[in-house]
Amino acid sequence: MTFMLDKVVPWGRSFTEYVDMFALSDDDLGKHILGCGDGPSSFNCICTRKGGHVVSIDPLYKFSAAEIQSRIKDTYAEIIEQTAKNKHEFVWNTISSVEQLGAVRMAAMNDFLSDYEQGRKQGCYIESQLPNLPFADRQFDIALSSHFLFLYSSQLSEEFHVESIYELCRVATEARIFPLLELGSKKSRHLQKIYDILQQAGFTVSIENVAYEFQKGGNEMMRVVVD
Ligand SMILES: C[S@@+](CC[C@H](N)C(=O)[O-])C[C@H]1O[C@@H](n2cnc3c(N)ncnc32)[C@H](O)[C@@H]1O
């Protein structure tokens, strides 16, 4: 599938949001982490600055910083407008307004942009996509998927989800996925089936409450451990 920048809406969360979404402890942050579909989030940049070891993959990384920045500029106002229209779908306590949301996201994306070209040269940002990753078995301790799996359940099939989660569990000893909601703040239509499939395949699967909720009802993470 060709990945066209003009179809992409680049939007990235912050390091702090990743820590809360995935309940990452200080011990976790010292491990080898793979971020799948990290887009223009600042998780990699800030974690690396703090001495961590993160590799991010995303089809978006075929583009230069200037191209991604220009696309952010083109789509930013539209995303903010859409969020304002659907304000009732979100919880406004940590982030208290649409304006603050814009500022938090923009700060995260600027951190990403300032790190991206150098990080790409060092292999921290790799152009790749689920369900096939260019890594060895168990190369990472933890694989994260933020706002990709489950969120796009109406576009991505159950089969795609299963293949992708198996792949995360091939390259890492543990996978964490957040949120478990699809767009529209409804529980993912694939969640129960995938939970059962993973359990039957012998993985230890749990659904855990986390200290992060922005989409209403989106305060749960799936943890899949490879025994
Ligand atoms: C909504 S953004 C989330 C960005 C970031 N994870 C965050 O939470 O801020 C979804 C990301 O998934 C990426 N993506 C699209 N198809 C993908 C695939 N097949 N495998 C991995 N990532 C993909 C997009 O390029 C985009 O950056």
Side-chain angles (χ1 to χ4, degrees):
M1 186 179 70
T2 324
F3 190 84
M4 314 273 282
L5 189 57
D6 62 2
K7 304 258 182 292
V8 180
V9 183
W11 200 233
R13 286 162 190 82
S14 70
F15 170 79
T16 315
E17 289 180 284
Y18 265 64
V19 168
D20 291 343
M21 290 186 289
F22 293 113
L24 291 167
S25 64
D26 287 346
D27 186 40
D28 290 335
L29 290 168
K31 294 181 176 172
H32 286 89
I33 300 178
L34 173 68
C36 278
D38 274 348
S41 74
S42 67
F43 176 66
N44 190 326
C45 160
I46 305 295
C47 192
T48 304
R49 248 187 240 164
K50 290 174 181 285
H53 313 278
V54 182
V55 172
S56 299
I57 69 100
D58 199 298
L60 183 72
Y61 301 154
K62 77 189 270 189
F63 299 103
S64 68
E67 288 169 319
I68 297 173
Q69 183 168 32
S70 145
R71 186 70 189 136
I72 290 171
K73 225 172 132 202
D74 291 346
T75 54
Y76 177 83
E78 189 190 323
I79 301 177
I80 291 294
E81 193 186 313
Q82 283 303 321
T83 310
K85 266 192 200 151
N86 297 303
K87 216 172 162 201
H88 59 280
E89 287 184 16
F90 302 96
V91 176
W92 298 96
N93 46 23
T94 308
I95 295 175
S96 61
S97 66
V98 177
E99 292 69 34
Q100 195 194 353
L101 174 73
V104 168
R105 294 283 184 274
M106 224 35 242
M109 291 190 282
N110 283 333
D111 281 335
F112 162 82
L113 287 168
S114 67
D115 183 53
Y116 175 62
E117 291 296 356
Q118 184 63 23
R120 200 158 57 146
K121 283 191 200 120
Q122 292 167 341
C124 295
Y125 299 101
I126 297 175
E127 178 202 344
S128 178
Q129 51 187 300
L130 288 168
N132 299 113
L133 301 175
F135 303 115
D137 293 359
R138 312 280 176 271
Q139 187 169 329
F140 299 93
D141 300 306
I142 304 175
L144 305 176
S145 164
S146 160
H147 293 84
F148 176 61
L149 292 174
F150 293 127
L151 187 64
Y152 296 102
S153 288
S154 65
Q155 291 91 338
L156 301 170
S157 66
E158 177 190 309
E159 191 187 4
F160 176 88
H161 278 77
V162 173
E163 276 180 41
S164 295
I165 299 171
Y166 279 173
E167 184 68 345
L168 298 180
C169 293
R170 180 186 69 76
V171 301
T173 46
E174 183 185 323
R176 299 185 198 180
I177 304 166
F178 182 94
L180 307 184
L181 301 181
E182 58 182 66
L183 293 171
S185 297
K186 293 182 292 192
K187 192 139 277 191
S188 159
R189 66 196 69 189
H190 301 314
L191 183 63
Q192 187 60 53
K193 191 75 189 293
I194 285 169
Y195 184 96
D196 294 344
I197 290 171
L198 292 169
Q199 269 206 327
Q200 278 156 20
F203 295 107
T204 303
V205 193
S206 53
I207 291 181
E208 300 172 20
N209 279 309
V210 293
Y212 180 92
E213 183 177 3
F214 184 53
Q215 270 179 299
K216 267 187 195 161
N219 61 350
E220 290 178 324
M221 156 186 93
M222 177 183 276
R223 188 194 298 257
V224 188
V225 178
V226 183
D227 295 316

